[in-house]
């Protein structure tokens, strides 16, 4: 029953996502009707239309889709590992740590944005991993402490980001301010390949060991009796979750709440087993981020602001519910 239900929601979500993606390609400062989008995709577009679609809109679309999937996978893993439905890479400090890594590299390397931009995802991963390591070290593998320390580190990293920005020149401050607001700045094909490689390497790992995630939701005594080496698996999956979030936000800017609400929606549709809800969660995350980007583009607003507007009420609802 769960399998057929999952397949129904998966293919329904896939069709909705495809239609939303096609509509997203028509939206922008330069009007591009649906008929012309189809013409360009079938090789019948004009030079300007080809440039708009293949050099500007299609890379951004893929970044949004991949980013939504990665953030929701990160949130799903963190909620499972911390046994807390309010866990999210943005809330517990991972995104802020990645942001500090990006800021330090960007501000103190004597290069322009263009020459170092491909190194920013790596800087984000280092910052996110260091922050996650400190949170885990101080939390002593206690899920409740992980949440509290994560929130504390999130505030501390945000404060450090402000301090770093106060000593930077105007050009770099403008870039970091856009990053903090969730402005999708990495909209070129090299960033698409970075995101694609990350997903191709890590998503199969998550699904291959999805049954381990199911076991990690049990109480500690049961896990011990089953002989599962919970500490090693938690560290492994936390590392995967951090990489998902850090690489994504270093390219898309600070995006919060997406990793929080996506897993909840998916679980409400197909249940808590990871092999069922993770594929649905990936589609939900991609769809929500895509809707936010589609709204943000004509308004010339950062997509992160729209995601926050969508996610904040749901977060408040979960807070009262839990």
């Amino acid at each position: 029953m769960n399998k057929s239900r999952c397949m129904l929601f998966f293919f329904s979500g896939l069709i909705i996502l495809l239609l939303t993606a096609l509509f997203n390609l028509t939206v922008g400062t330069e009007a591009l009707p649906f008929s012309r989008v189809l013409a360009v995709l079938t090789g019948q577009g004009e030079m300007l239309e080809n440039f708009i679609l293949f050099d500007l809109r299609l890379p951004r679309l893929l970044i949004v889709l991949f980013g939504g999937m990665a953030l929701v996978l990160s949130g799903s893993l963190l909620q499972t590992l911390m046994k807390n439905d309010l866990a999210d890479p943005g809330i517990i400090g991972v995104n802020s740590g990645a942001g500090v890594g990006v800021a330090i590299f960007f501000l103190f390397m004597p290069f322009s944005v263009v020459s170092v931009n491909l190194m920013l995802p790596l800087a984000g991963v280092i910052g996110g991993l260091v922050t996650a390591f400190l949170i885990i070290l101080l939390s002593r593998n206690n899920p409740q402490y992980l949440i509290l320390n994560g929130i504390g580190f999130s505030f501390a990293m945000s404060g450090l980001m402000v301090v770093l920005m106060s000593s930077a020149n105007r050009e770099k401050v403008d870039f970091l301010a856009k990053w903090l607001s969730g402005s999708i700045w990495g909209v070129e094909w090299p960033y698409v390949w970075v995101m694609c490689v990350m997903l191709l390497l890590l998503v199969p790992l998550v699904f291959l060991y999805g049954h381990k995630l199911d076991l990690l939701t049990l109480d500690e005594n049961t896990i011990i009796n089953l002989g599962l080496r919970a500490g090693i698996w938690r560290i492994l999956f936390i590392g995967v979750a951090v990489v998902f979030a850090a690489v994504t936000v270093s390219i898309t800017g600070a995006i919060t709440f997406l990793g929080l609400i996506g897993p909840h929606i998916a679980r409400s549709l197909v249940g808590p087993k990871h092999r069922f809800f993770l594929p649905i969660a990936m589609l939900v995350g991609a769809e929500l981020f895509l809707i936010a980007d589609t709204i943000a583009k004509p308004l010339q607003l950062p997509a992160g602001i729209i995601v926050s507007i969508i996610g904040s009420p749901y977060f408040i609802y979960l807070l009262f519910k839990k």
Side-chain angles (χ1 to χ4, degrees):
M1 180 67 180
N2 273 341
K3 186 175 181 180
S4 59
R5 185 182 177 90
C6 180
M7 295 294 287
L8 174 64
F9 281 115
F10 180 81
F11 286 109
S12 300
L14 201 60
I15 293 170
I16 294 171
L17 186 64
L18 178 61
L19 294 175
T20 311
L22 289 173
F23 178 72
N24 179 273
L25 292 174
T26 68
V27 177
T29 54
E30 184 73 25
L32 199 62
F34 182 73
S35 59
R36 296 312 304 162
V37 170
L38 292 180
V40 174
L41 292 176
T42 55
Q44 301 172 18
E46 299 176 358
M47 184 180 297
L48 179 60
E49 292 173 333
N50 289 335
F51 173 76
I52 292 172
L53 194 68
F54 290 118
D55 291 354
L56 300 178
R57 295 188 186 175
L58 193 56
R60 181 185 179 106
L61 171 68
L62 293 174
I63 287 293
V64 168
L65 293 177
F66 293 159
M69 293 177 187
L71 288 174
V72 167
L73 282 173
S74 179
S76 300
L77 293 174
L78 292 174
Q79 288 173 17
T80 295
L81 299 170
M82 298 182 182
K83 298 180 181 179
N84 192 310
D85 290 342
L86 300 180
D88 169 81
I91 295 172
I92 67 165
V94 173
N95 287 3
S96 298
V100 169
V102 169
I104 291 175
F105 182 83
F106 179 66
L107 293 176
F108 294 104
M109 292 297 289
F111 305 110
S112 66
V113 181
V114 176
S115 60
V116 301
N117 53 12
L118 284 176
M119 295 297 293
L120 292 181
L122 177 60
V125 169
I126 293 172
L129 286 174
V130 170
T131 303
F133 173 77
L134 293 174
I135 292 171
I136 293 169
L137 184 66
L138 294 174
S139 303
R140 299 177 183 177
N141 212 24
N142 185 305
Q144 285 72 33
Y145 289 168
L146 280 168
I147 290 288
L148 293 174
N149 287 330
I151 293 171
F153 267 87
S154 181
F155 282 112
M157 294 295 104
S158 297
L160 180 57
M161 177 77 83
V162 173
V163 171
L164 291 171
M165 290 173 63
S166 66
S167 61
N169 62 47
R170 180 62 181 273
E171 177 191 356
K172 293 186 175 182
V173 168
D174 287 344
F175 171 80
L176 290 175
K178 290 179 181 178
W179 185 93
L180 285 170
S181 64
S183 178
I184 304 172
W185 67 274
V187 291
E188 299 172 356
W189 283 106
Y191 299 109
V192 175
W193 303 130
V194 169
M195 296 285 290
C196 187
V197 169
M198 175 190 69
L199 291 173
L200 288 175
L201 290 177
L202 297 182
V203 170
L205 178 68
V206 172
F207 281 93
L208 181 62
Y209 295 106
H211 61 287
K212 304 289 187 184
L213 291 167
D214 290 330
L215 295 177
L216 289 173
T217 61
L218 303 174
D219 64 87
E220 292 301 315
N221 289 331
T222 304
I223 292 174
I224 293 171
N225 290 332
L226 290 172
L228 182 68
R229 303 178 70 179
I232 293 175
W233 286 107
R234 283 198 182 102
I235 292 173
L236 172 65
F237 283 123
I238 286 177
V240 171
V242 170
V243 172
F244 275 139
V247 171
T248 301
V249 300
S250 66
I251 294 172
T252 64
I255 306 293
T256 55
F257 297 120
L258 197 59
L260 172 71
I261 62 180
H264 282 279
I265 294 173
R267 288 192 195 99
S268 68
L269 294 175
V270 296
K273 287 189 176 294
H274 288 80
R275 65 191 178 101
F276 292 135
F277 91 82
L278 284 180
I280 307 300
M282 291 173 67
L283 290 178
V284 171
E287 179 67 27
L288 289 174
F289 202 2
L290 189 58
I291 290 172
D293 183 59
T294 304
I295 296 171
K297 280 201 296 184
L299 299 176
Q300 296 186 346
L301 289 173
I305 292 177
I306 306 298
V307 173
S308 297
I309 292 172
I310 296 171
S312 298
Y314 197 84
F315 175 71
I316 295 170
Y317 162 73
L318 288 175
L319 199 61
F320 280 105
K321 184 179 178 181
K322 299 296 178 181

